[in-house]
Amino acid sequence: REGALQEVSSRSCDDAMGDGETSLAQYWLSRGWQVYADQARSSRVRQVLIQHGTSVLSYPADQVWRLAAAVDVSKEAPKIMVNPRQLLSAEPGYVLLSLDYSQIELRLLAHFSGDQ
């Protein structure tokens, strides 16, 4: 299922999602992603909003750019593989780049964009 990147939010994963009650960190923690048990970390990670048709879903920014991960959707259902990278698509006329942050691609991108 395709989606479009709507926004990299200023809200952290500790902030409430659209329902106003549950934080994004609590949501993913309840589905087996134990890394969000560390509040110091989850308070630094931003929410990324991805639109799927008429729905907008929040993902932790640090996971959107990573590979697939197994997630518990419910206690009764088996884990499913979630790969947020597959949900991103560029708008017509734009190009979406996939770069390895630890390698030369990011340095080249910074060089050609004029960033310091």
Side-chain angles (χ1 to χ4, degrees):
R1 182 166 113 170
E2 279 193 13
L5 179 65
Q6 184 182 39
E7 173 187 358
V8 177
S9 175
S10 61
R11 294 179 298 178
S12 77
C13 288
D14 276 346
D15 295 330
M17 295 188 301
D19 66 6
E21 296 178 16
T22 307
S23 75
L24 187 60
Q26 290 170 328
Y27 175 83
W28 286 110
L29 186 59
S30 71
R31 281 155 178 79
W33 290 22
Q34 296 301 314
V35 68
Y36 298 107
D38 179 4
Q39 187 177 10
R41 181 172 189 263
S42 62
S43 67
R44 291 188 312 266
V45 176
R46 299 285 163 225
Q47 295 184 27
V48 174
L49 306 178
I50 299 179
Q51 184 167 354
H52 305 276
T54 58
S55 300
V56 177
L57 301 178
S58 294
Y59 291 93
D62 65 334
Q63 296 299 325
V64 169
W65 322 120
R66 294 181 183 212
L67 300 176
V71 175
D72 284 323
V73 177
S74 73
K75 292 182 175 152
E76 297 79 33
K79 287 188 176 190
I80 61 168
M81 293 302 291
V82 174
N83 188 349
R85 277 186 178 184
Q86 292 180 339
L87 303 175
L88 300 174
S89 62
E91 292 184 21
Y94 291 89
V95 175
L96 184 64
L97 296 176
S98 177
L99 304 168
D100 182 345
Y101 289 123
S102 65
Q103 298 298 322
I104 192 71
E105 293 94 341
L106 185 61
R107 294 178 194 152
L108 290 171
L109 183 63
H111 170 77
F112 289 118
S113 70
D115 285 350
Q116 297 281 330

